[in-house]
Amino acid sequence: MDKYSEKRFDIYGYEKIDTQVLEAINYEYPGRDTLVEYYTEEFSSVCPWTGLPDNAKLTIKYIPNEKLVELKSLKYYLTSYRNIGILQEHAVNRILDDLVKLLKPKYMEITGEFLARGGISTRVTAKYDENITI
């Protein structure tokens, strides 16, 4: 018997992603297309099947409309992913959806550069543009 077949770590579902902690603050220069960029090399979530960690450099770029994300709230929000079982591609899209809902920016792009697991690294980019309707 494979001693790893029964090995599991605690994995939480999407309901534990803390969107309630996110806060927006007023942007004092509406009408000016300023590119805002945040990044962290400490983003982590877990594989939904094994519970093993997925670590990434996460970059958030956006052109605000009327709101900015308050950075302390963003840090707590991103940290809430630490034990969430979510595919890398889904994590990046979920972060985009949550931040677009909060900020209603003119443009936003989220990129996750996930470290190699099993010899494969992954880069995922999801974009939002208020001028494009799908």
Side-chain angles (χ1 to χ4, degrees):
M1 176 173 201
D2 180 2
K3 65 181 177 182
Y4 300 106
S5 65
E6 299 292 322
K7 187 72 174 156
R8 296 286 300 174
F9 297 95
D10 289 338
I11 300 173
Y12 300 124
Y14 291 12
E15 71 280 356
K16 294 281 190 174
I17 298 171
D18 192 0
T19 57
Q20 298 302 311
V21 75
L22 284 170
E23 293 181 30
I25 57 176
N26 289 332
Y27 176 55
E28 295 181 3
Y29 299 92
R32 184 179 295 171
D33 289 344
T34 301
L35 181 63
V36 178
E37 185 171 342
Y38 309 126
Y39 71 92
T40 179
E41 295 183 0
E42 298 177 353
F43 178 78
S44 65
S45 58
V46 296
C47 172
W49 297 295
T50 65
L52 294 173
D54 285 326
N55 297 301
K57 176 181 178 184
L58 189 72
T59 304
I60 300 167
K61 295 180 187 178
Y62 68 106
I63 298 174
N65 222 339
E66 296 179 3
K67 300 288 181 184
L68 299 169
V69 65
E70 195 280 324
L71 288 180
K72 179 174 60 176
S73 77
L74 180 62
K75 292 172 194 175
Y76 278 106
Y77 166 75
L78 293 175
T79 300
S80 77
Y81 278 82
R82 184 169 42 196
N83 290 327
I84 304 299
I86 188 169
L87 296 175
Q88 298 166 353
E89 298 84 351
H90 296 176
V92 170
N93 277 284
R94 172 64 189 261
I95 293 166
L96 177 70
D97 289 348
D98 289 344
L99 291 177
V100 166
K101 182 178 177 182
L102 176 74
L103 302 175
K104 298 173 183 53
K106 294 179 181 180
Y107 174 83
M108 183 171 279
E109 178 179 312
I110 313 285
T111 301
E113 297 176 60
F114 290 84
L115 300 179
R117 247 194 322 120
I120 298 177
S121 299
T122 306
R123 178 180 294 124
V124 179
T125 301
K127 299 178 184 181
Y128 165 83
D129 186 328
E130 73 174 354
N131 295 314
I132 298 175
T133 305
I134 297 177

